[in-house]
Amino acid sequence: MASCVKKYDNPAEGTMGAATYIYAVREAYRGNEITLSPSTLGGASQIQGVVISDAAAGNTEPGLFFIQQTVASANQVGDITRGIALRMSSGNVTWKTGDSLRINVEGMKLDRINGRLTISGVTEDRVTKLAENRTPLVRSANLAMLNVMMPEYESSLVAVHADVKDYAAGVLFGGERTLSDNTGPQFGLVTRNEAAFAGAQTPINAQFTGIPGYFNASGKDTAGAKRILQLRNINDTAFLSGAIYSNFPENFEYPDASAKSSYNVTATANNIDLASGNWKLQQAILGNTVIRDKYNLPGKQCIRMQQNLTTSGYVQMNFDVTEGASKVTVFYGKYYTDPSSTFRLEYSVNGGTTWVNVAPNVSYMPDRGSLQASFRVNVTGNVRFRINKLGLGASSSTVFNGRLCLEDIVVYKKL
């Protein structure tokens, strides 16, 4: 098991003086080219962030690089992460992934170039390197989330688990592949022929970490632009697996939350038909409370599991998938301001008679937002899975057993 979100450094914390935030620069754009200046940036003339692209790997065009910045939101609901593309006048990028930069952008142009929002006219004398080897935040998402929230995700660092739809033996990264995860519109996985990994073979499915954006060769319009994802280097593929089962992800959008709104019901009433099949929701309900429940947009529901239990609660498949499994992923987070809790993934190959623990328990949960857990498994034939929320007892200064939110559970076929 691993989550793609790590501890990350935020060099933008504190008073920024003449600097403004990347999200404020993006908000300043209104569809036409503007010249950046204190008058257009609320008195500021600088931005800063961490380099997230990898010029040496060759999958960004010469002179183009990307920076990202994460800042705490004022309402304490979640952090704000934004990225932006920058174009060097010289066509030469010397900064490396993880370099923290401060850039004087006064007089530079902000516009969409081939669909991508870009600051043009960057020169080396306008850039100050503040630190090296910073770790930027990698946000987990699915393709539906990227599609509906592209202004928030564009030019930042994300990780998605998806199938390569045009996969076949010998298919290489070079050019454009098609990504799909059964959640929404497909994305193009774009790899320049000049990239160091263009000649590597694509997997059937993987966690792809990269930089999403729009591509429109004819101009700056985004309405009809293609949605793309660009990897930085070959190390941006992980958790290789078989294809997603056709009836997953289970996103808990059906039925309406009112169909399972009580934690304490009879054993039979815990069993409910969801979109993927019949599931047991023991000490679990369908939650749809805005802000408090951690559901993934554009969805409006997730699972919420009860707090302070002394026995386990389960979100459990009452059916088998039949072609084995190589991976299971799930988004998770704590409900509202509750303390964290502890859960684990288990599987059964005998119809639910006995269950096997897959991986170490998951207990770290951020105060804001959600994470995605990726579990490697290696099971052939019929198999079913469940999330076991451990019954640790009432929360205290030493026990953490708050309500748990689960979203978008996906099972992947055996390789």
Side-chain angles (χ1 to χ4, degrees):
M1 191 286 297
S3 171
C4 70
V5 176
K6 307 174 182 177
K7 181 182 183 296
Y8 62 94
D9 295 295
N10 179 16
E13 290 179 342
T15 303
M16 297 188 67
T20 190
Y21 299 116
I22 290 175
Y23 75 78
V25 175
R26 298 187 63 91
E27 289 294 319
Y29 183 71
R30 293 292 183 269
N32 295 301
E33 180 185 88
I34 61 173
T35 300
L36 299 175
S37 68
S39 63
T40 57
L41 296 177
S45 59
Q46 301 173 359
I47 60 172
Q48 68 184 60
V50 176
V51 176
I52 57 173
S53 49
D54 182 1
N59 203 30
T60 50
E61 59 189 89
L64 193 70
F65 69 104
F66 296 81
I67 64 171
Q68 174 180 293
Q69 180 187 59
T70 299
V71 297
S73 65
N75 59 13
Q76 301 298 302
V77 171
D79 294 336
I80 298 174
T81 297
R82 296 291 186 274
I84 199 160
L86 300 103
R87 187 181 296 275
M88 297 291 299
S89 295
S90 66
N92 183 38
V93 176
T94 59
W95 299 288
K96 297 179 175 63
T97 306
D99 285 348
S100 177
L101 307 180
R102 182 173 63 238
I103 305 169
N104 183 347
V105 296
E106 186 170 0
M108 296 179 189
K109 305 297 184 181
L110 177 68
D111 202 359
R112 287 198 174 273
I113 301 174
N114 294 336
R116 179 189 289 123
L117 189 61
T118 306
I119 297 174
S120 299
V122 181
T123 55
E124 289 204 16
D125 61 304
R126 296 289 200 94
V127 181
T128 302
K129 184 163 70 173
L130 305 175
E132 298 179 347
N133 300 317
R134 297 292 191 181
T135 302
L137 174 67
V138 180
R139 290 181 288 174
S140 297
N142 58 41
L143 296 183
M145 294 164 65
L146 293 184
N147 183 59
V148 301
M149 298 190 293
M150 274 294 282
E152 287 78 16
Y153 284 106
E154 182 189 7
S155 297
S156 66
L157 204 53
V158 304
V160 298
H161 289 261
D163 289 343
V164 177
K165 295 302 291 182
D166 47 352
Y167 172 83
V171 170
L172 307 180
F173 276 102
E176 182 177 333
R177 308 275 72 84
T178 300
L179 293 181
S180 175
D181 65 357
N182 297 345
T183 67
Q186 298 176 344
F187 271 56
L189 180 67
V190 175
T191 305
R192 301 176 72 242
N193 291 327
E194 298 84 356
F197 59 97
Q201 185 170 335
T202 62
I204 301 174
N205 180 289
Q207 176 186 278
F208 297 101
T209 299
I211 302 171
Y214 299 101
F215 178 75
N216 182 353
S218 61
K220 58 188 179 183
D221 178 50
T222 61
K226 183 180 297 184
R227 270 67 167 167
I228 65 171
L229 182 73
Q230 285 184 276
L231 308 184
R232 299 167 299 172
N233 51 58
I234 193 60
N235 295 323
D236 279 338
T237 58
F239 294 103
L240 277 61
S241 72
I244 301 168
Y245 275 98
S246 60
N247 52 341
F248 284 88
E250 176 51 67
N251 57 19
F252 308 106
E253 291 301 306
Y254 170 86
D256 183 79
S258 60
K260 184 62 167 74
S261 57
S262 174
Y263 295 109
N264 299 306
V265 295
T266 64
T268 301
N270 282 328
N271 297 329
I272 184 168
D273 287 328
L274 305 177
S276 61
N278 187 268
W279 289 66
K280 175 185 290 185
L281 305 185
Q282 181 173 317
Q283 294 295 342
I285 64 173
L286 296 170
N288 63 358
T289 304
V290 177
I291 303 296
R292 299 187 179 194
D293 280 306
K294 303 299 190 303
Y295 52 79
N296 292 337
L297 296 174
K300 298 180 180 179
Q301 294 185 169
C302 65
I303 290 292
R304 187 197 312 159
M305 302 191 74
Q306 182 63 293
Q307 61 188 334
N308 299 332
L309 296 174
T310 56
T311 58
S312 290
Y314 299 105
V315 174
Q316 174 179 311
M317 296 165 58
N318 288 332
F319 60 97
D320 290 337
V321 291
T322 60
E323 298 179 58
S326 56
K327 180 173 67 175
V328 175
T329 60
V330 58
F331 285 85
Y332 67 95
K334 52 188 179 182
Y335 175 81
Y336 197 38
T337 57
D338 278 16
S340 60
S341 58
T342 300
F343 72 90
R344 64 190 181 206
L345 180 72
E346 300 173 343
Y347 71 87
S348 174
V349 294
N350 54 15
T353 301
T354 58
W355 294 86
V356 179
N357 183 25
V358 171
N361 297 340
V362 179
S363 57
Y364 171 74
M365 298 174 190
D367 290 332
R368 310 171 187 179
S370 61
L371 302 178
Q372 186 181 37
S374 301
F375 300 90
R376 295 184 187 276
V377 293
N378 183 18
V379 185
T380 57
N382 294 343
V383 61
R384 62 183 64 183
F385 293 91
R386 71 181 182 185
I387 298 294
N388 176 351
K389 181 180 184 292
L390 302 187
L392 303 178
S395 292
S396 65
S397 59
T398 57
V399 175
F400 305 100
N401 194 12
R403 285 165 288 189
L404 170 68
C405 293
L406 302 172
E407 173 70 306
D408 284 337
I409 296 178
V410 188
V411 182
Y412 302 77
K413 297 178 182 179
K414 182 81 167 65
L415 274 170

